[in-house]
């Protein structure tokens, strides 16, 4: 529900809303904001990868994902947001301050469908929180981010491979994927999660299937944004 009349947004908040308060904000890399939250838990409790929705404006909802849940405090969660877009969601994130209170919309956690192990994760900056939530130590993780974010993001994630994004979304990932497919670097993967830019996911899936690396059923795709679209 990226766009809805104000009264529908209010109704959704009444039914699915949880109160949340910003405990702190950090900038782990240029173009990224990590939001530290205390938020009332939904049924079943918060889980890494839990999807939430916020009302960025009275009529515009935007979705984000829980990156971590504190082991000692199940209502203390973090969200990692990329700030490369220029829409209501990004402006809302950039406007947050410690102590701010708002309502998050969420329900019981519905995990992404995951197939096989080890898996290939491909994503861009806005999917990094989700990838952190799901990826295991054996998985092959490749993430496309703005060039000046590569080094600060890679430091704490030595197992991930970060690619500097070019002018067109998904091109750096596609380039890497085609080389990896030809070089046999993907021979051991048993499943894939492709997250982020909708048009890029389709290209990536086609490459994996056409090179005979994975069957379609072993590939999960989850679009987070699309060229020419506001909100998803
Ligand atoms: C299930 C789900 C979970 C998500 N979880 C996260 C998360 O944990 N962290 C996170 O940062 N984002 C996440 N997103 C993406 C996030 O909702 C949007 O990318 C973000 O809110 C941008 O919204 P906006 O209002 O600023 O831009 P929009 O109004 O959506 O779009 C404005 C313009 O920016 C472009 N655009 C949109 N998103 C991006 C982008 N990421 N990079 C470059 N250009 C973009 C659009 O094509 C459009 O031209 C998630 C999305 C979904 C569907």
């Amino acid at each position: 529900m990226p766009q809805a009349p104000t009264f529908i947004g209010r109704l959704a908040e009444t039914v699915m809303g949880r109160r949340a308060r910003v405990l702190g904000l950090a900038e782990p890399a240029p173009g990224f904001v990590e939001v530290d939250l205390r938020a009332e838990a939904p049924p079943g409790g918060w889980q890494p990868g839990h999807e939430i929705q916020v009302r960025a404006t009275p009529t515009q909802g935007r979705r984000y994902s829980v990156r971590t849940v504190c082991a000692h405090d199940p209502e203390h969660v973090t969200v990692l947001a990329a700030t490369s877009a220029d829409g209501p969601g990004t402006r809302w994130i950039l406007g947050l301050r410690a102590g701010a209170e708002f309502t998050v919309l969420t329900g019981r956690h519905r995990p992404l469908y995951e197939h096989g192990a080890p898996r290939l994760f491909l994503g861009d900056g806005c999917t990094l929180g989700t990838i952190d939530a799901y990826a295991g130590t054996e998985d092959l993780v490749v993430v496309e981010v703005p060039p000046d974010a590569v080094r600060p993001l890679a430091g704490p994630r030595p197992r991930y491979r970060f690619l500097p994004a070019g002018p067109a979304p998904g091109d750096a990932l596609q380039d890497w994927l085609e080389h990896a497919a030809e070089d046999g670097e993907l021979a051991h993967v048993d499943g894939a999660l492709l997250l982020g830019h909708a048009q890029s996911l389709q290209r990536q899936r086609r490459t994996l299937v056409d090179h005979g690396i994975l069957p379609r059923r072993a590939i999960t795709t989850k679009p987070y944004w699309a060229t020419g679209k506001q909100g998803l």
Side-chain angles (χ1 to χ4, degrees):
M1 192 183 57
Q3 184 156 3
T6 304
F7 79 94
I8 298 282
R10 283 211 195 104
L11 185 64
E13 279 190 350
T14 310
V15 179
M16 300 170 70
R18 316 271 148 198
R19 293 305 299 160
R21 189 160 62 85
V22 178
L23 300 176
L25 295 151
E27 189 186 3
F32 289 82
V33 173
E34 176 110 43
V35 188
D36 214 350
L37 290 174
R38 175 171 303 286
E40 287 169 2
W46 290 114
Q47 309 295 332
H50 217 123
E51 282 178 23
I52 61 171
Q53 187 170 159
V54 297
R55 286 172 78 198
T57 72
T59 60
Q60 296 280 339
R62 289 294 181 269
R63 295 203 268 174
Y64 292 91
S65 315
V66 168
R67 188 175 86 84
T68 61
V69 181
C70 177
H72 311 294
D73 180 353
E75 298 205 330
H76 184 174
V77 300
T78 63
V79 169
L80 180 63
T83 56
S84 4
D86 181 25
T90 305
R91 287 193 286 275
W92 181 82
I93 289 278
L94 291 172
L96 285 176
R97 295 291 175 263
E101 299 204 345
F102 59 94
T103 301
V104 296
L105 305 182
T106 193
R108 194 174 281 277
H109 178 49
R110 291 206 174 81
L112 289 171
Y113 173 74
E114 297 177 84
H115 183 280
R119 294 155 303 177
L120 169 69
F121 283 77
L122 297 182
D124 56 19
C126 75
T127 70
L128 184 56
T130 305
I131 292 176
D132 283 346
Y134 281 94
T137 49
E138 301 305 314
D139 294 324
L140 175 57
V141 178
V142 188
V143 190
E144 177 182 297
V145 296
D148 54 351
V150 167
R151 195 188 285 249
L153 293 174
R157 297 173 182 82
R159 288 184 310 99
Y160 295 10
R161 187 169 195 151
F162 287 91
L163 304 176
D171 276 1
L173 273 176
Q174 186 63 28
D175 207 38
W176 176 86
L177 182 60
E178 283 171 17
H179 281 98
E182 314 240 306
D183 295 350
E185 210 180 320
L186 303 173
H188 69 295
V189 300
D190 206 23
L193 278 94
L194 313 178
L195 311 169
H197 180 234
Q199 291 88 349
S200 298
L201 309 186
Q202 291 167 13
R203 275 203 291 173
Q204 293 158 6
R205 183 169 58 188
R206 215 174 310 124
T207 305
L208 288 170
V209 173
D210 290 353
H211 279 77
I213 290 160
L214 289 171
R216 220 179 149 86
R217 66 169 190 288
I219 304 172
T220 301
T221 57
K222 180 87 183 174
Y224 276 19
W225 65 285
T227 300
K229 234 178 159 230
Q230 306 207 320
L232 268 194

